[in-house]
């Protein structure tokens, strides 16, 4: 019996997918061929045929920033799941079930409050991804996106052993110090961190500690991260840019990706400098930011949205892409590029992201049910994995 997860070698049989709405850069078509793990030129004789039953066929989604893996390691506050392999396997099924065939697992490094569980989670996550990949147990292709908290005392020390990790493809810089960037609104910060019940003294002590950490560590950590990315020719993203000055500083460091800018002025400055702009797909589906920042939809309507990320909700990626044509007037092809071709380009994955000859045969069959896109089948490298 063929191992359905054995994607180390290309699937050589020729498959014709037909009777669907197949979304390609050249326009919609009703049939497509997979051969040797790639999308093939048509026509050709197929070994087998697959009926799409009128559904959409779209490229496999590419997720550059998901925190979903952490939910499977910490399924409840204060609970650490002891079996990393089952955590990564469950996360992987969740991503594939959402139509994601390439996923960058965003793992936080550099904990300003030195919380032990966060440091343990860092090692456990990376080890689980490496173990499951080596054993060929994953349906999606997993890469690592390390989210570097600049205020952390031990950020560079934690990073150093993993710089040659072959799964590592993206670094981002973050600064979650309360009172600025994502957390300009301290009331939103209290709500998110469940601190409304804390005394003013406790809250002030926490914020003062974090501000002191930022003053001590942020500048040196930032320079170290920039130097690492330059030495590895690795893309670097910023996080929660709020001001024009934030963006200009990033440009000076060679940063090319702006994740979740919090204001219109930051997004416009990022566009002026040619940065790729990433916004949260949950922001589109929910109709706003949970942090009280700029609406992703507002940026999309201004032409300031390049890439969507599911962030904390995998199903939001596909849902948001199908909402964009209705909410902004863009074509479905252009909307889908925010979750396929554009993220692929941003991180140098030139072999995927579109249903066109020569690209890797990553695809998802999708049916609209009461306006909600539902994933019915997924292929990676020509093999059906869902």
């Amino acid at each position: 019996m063929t191992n359905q997860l054995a994607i180390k070698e290309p699937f050589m049989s020729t498959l014709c997918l037909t009777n669907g709405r197949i979304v390609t850069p050249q326009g919609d078509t009703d049939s497509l061929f997979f051969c040797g793990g790639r999308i093939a030129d048509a026509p050709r004789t197929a070994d087998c045929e697959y009926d799409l039953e009128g559904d959409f066929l779209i490229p496999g989604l590419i997720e550059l920033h998901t925190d979903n893996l952490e939910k499977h390691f910490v399924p409840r506050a204060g609970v650490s799941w002891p079996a990393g392999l089952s955590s990564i396997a469950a996360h992987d099924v969740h991503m594939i079930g959402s139509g994601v065939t390439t996923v960058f697992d965003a793992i936080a490094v550099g904990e300003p409050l030195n919380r032990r569980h966060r440091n343990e989670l860092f090692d456990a996550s990376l080890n689980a991804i490496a173990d499951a990949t080596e054993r060929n147990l994953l349906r999606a292709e997993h890469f690592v996106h390390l989210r570097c908290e600049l205020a952390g005392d031990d950020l560079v020390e934690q990073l150093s052993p993993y710089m040659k990790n072959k799964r590592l493809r993206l670094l981002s810089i973050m600064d979650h110090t309360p009172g600025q960037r994502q957390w300009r609104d301290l009331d939103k910060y209290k709500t998110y961190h469940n601190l409304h019940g804390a005394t003013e003294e406790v809250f002030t002590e926490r914020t003062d500690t974090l501000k002191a950490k930022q003053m001590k560590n942020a500048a040196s950590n930032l320079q170290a991260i920039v130097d690492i990315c330059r030495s590895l020719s690795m893309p670097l993203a910023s996080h929660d840019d709020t001001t024009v000055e934030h963006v200009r500083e990033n440009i000076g460091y060679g940063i090319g990706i702006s994740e979740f800018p919090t204001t219109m002025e930051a997004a416009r400055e990022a566009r002026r400098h040619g940065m790729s702009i990433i916004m949260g797909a949950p922001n589109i589906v929910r109709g706003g930011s949970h942090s009280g920042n700029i609406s992703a939809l507002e940026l999309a309507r201004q032409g300031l949205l390049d890439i969507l990320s599911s962030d904390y909700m995998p199903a939001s990626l596909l849902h948001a892409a199908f909402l964009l044509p209705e909410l902004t007037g863009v074509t479905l092809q252009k909307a889908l590029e925010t979750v396929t071709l554009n993220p692929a380009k941003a991180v140098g994955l030139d072999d995927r992201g579109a249903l066109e000859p020569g690209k890797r045969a990553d695809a998802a069959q999708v049916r609209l049910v009461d306006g909600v896109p539902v994933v019915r089948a997924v292929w990676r490298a020509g093999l059906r994995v869902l």
Side-chain angles (χ1 to χ4, degrees):
M1 180 180 293
T2 301
N3 177 2
Q4 287 296 300
L5 299 186
I7 309 182
K8 289 184 177 179
E9 299 296 330
F11 186 56
M12 298 310 297
S13 297
T14 300
L15 172 67
C16 175
L17 299 98
T18 189
N19 187 31
R21 181 179 170 185
I22 300 171
V23 185
T24 78
Q26 291 72 42
D28 293 357
T29 183
D30 62 2
S31 63
L32 194 74
F33 290 84
F34 293 166
C35 184
R38 301 276 171 174
I39 297 168
D41 286 308
R44 66 168 56 228
T45 302
D47 298 305
C48 49
E49 187 173 285
Y50 181 87
D51 186 354
L52 292 166
E53 300 178 354
D55 294 340
F56 290 92
L57 186 74
I58 66 172
L61 307 189
I62 298 172
E63 170 59 77
L64 296 187
H65 181 132
T66 177
D67 303 334
N68 189 61
L69 178 58
E70 184 171 331
K71 296 178 184 177
H72 294 279
F73 274 91
V74 186
R76 179 174 289 181
V79 174
S80 297
W81 196 248
L85 202 57
S86 65
S87 294
I88 184 65
H91 162 62
D92 176 64
V93 170
H94 198 174
M95 300 309 295
I96 279 289
S98 300
V100 178
T101 51
T102 303
V103 52
F104 282 60
D105 292 315
I107 302 170
V109 54
E111 171 50 56
L113 293 175
N114 295 320
R115 290 175 292 192
R116 185 170 59 87
H117 82 276
R118 261 298 172 91
N119 294 328
E120 291 174 350
L121 180 62
F122 174 72
D123 290 321
S125 300
L126 288 171
N127 291 338
I129 292 169
D131 186 22
T133 301
E134 180 63 28
R135 298 188 190 201
N136 203 29
L137 297 174
L138 303 176
R139 291 164 171 80
E141 183 169 17
H142 289 252
F143 294 112
V144 173
H145 167 179
L146 292 183
R147 304 163 56 223
C148 305
E149 188 64 66
L150 295 179
D153 287 318
D154 57 354
L155 171 60
V156 177
E157 180 182 345
Q158 273 195 288
L159 273 178
S160 296
Y162 293 98
M163 286 301 95
K164 294 185 179 180
N165 186 317
K166 60 185 178 181
R167 294 284 98 193
L168 178 60
R169 294 294 185 92
L170 179 63
L171 292 178
S172 63
I173 53 170
M174 306 183 302
D175 186 346
H176 286 127
T177 305
Q180 49 94 63
R181 292 184 180 261
Q182 182 180 7
W183 300 120
R184 289 180 299 162
D185 185 333
L186 288 179
D187 198 53
K188 292 282 186 182
Y189 179 86
K190 287 181 178 179
T191 299
Y192 183 83
H193 291 280
N194 196 28
L195 292 171
H196 273 294
T199 65
E200 192 63 31
E201 182 181 3
V202 168
F203 182 71
T204 299
E205 181 181 357
R206 178 190 178 106
T207 57
D208 286 349
T209 296
L210 291 172
K211 289 175 183 178
K213 294 272 190 178
Q214 181 199 49
M215 290 292 293
K216 175 189 173 188
N217 299 321
S220 59
N221 280 340
L222 172 58
Q223 187 60 61
I225 298 301
V226 169
D227 291 344
I228 287 169
C229 285
R230 285 174 178 165
S231 69
L232 298 174
S233 297
M234 184 176 296
L236 177 60
S238 60
H239 200 270
D240 298 331
D241 297 325
T242 301
T243 67
V244 168
E245 288 71 25
H246 286 155
V247 176
R248 289 177 180 171
E249 181 182 24
N250 295 337
I251 293 300
Y253 284 116
I255 297 172
I257 301 172
S258 177
E259 287 194 303
F260 317 127
T262 66
T263 64
M264 181 66 74
E265 53 265 36
R268 284 180 173 151
E269 189 69 7
R271 169 64 74 246
R272 194 170 77 83
H273 290 283
M275 298 179 77
S276 296
I277 300 171
I278 300 180
M279 290 297 285
N283 191 314
I284 296 283
V285 178
R286 296 179 63 251
S289 164
H290 73 277
S291 303
N293 295 314
I294 191 72
S295 160
L297 184 57
E298 187 174 350
L299 293 189
R301 286 171 172 157
Q302 296 295 320
L304 298 173
L305 172 66
D306 300 307
I307 298 167
L308 284 171
S309 161
S310 69
D311 199 4
Y312 58 87
M313 182 60 178
S316 69
L317 200 60
L318 184 64
H319 195 173
F322 270 84
L323 282 174
L324 281 177
E326 174 189 346
L327 297 175
T328 69
V330 299
T331 65
L332 180 60
Q333 169 65 28
K334 284 297 181 185
L336 288 171
E337 286 178 1
T338 66
V339 295
T340 56
L341 189 59
N342 294 349
K345 287 180 176 178
V347 292
L349 293 176
D350 299 327
D351 63 340
R352 66 198 76 183
L355 298 180
E356 58 183 3
K359 297 284 190 184
R360 202 169 77 172
D362 293 355
Q365 177 187 359
V366 177
R367 176 172 295 180
L368 285 180
V369 180
D370 296 331
V372 177
V374 176
V375 176
R376 302 190 64 222
V378 177
W379 292 262
R380 178 161 78 86
L383 262 180
R384 186 170 176 182
V385 291
L386 178 70

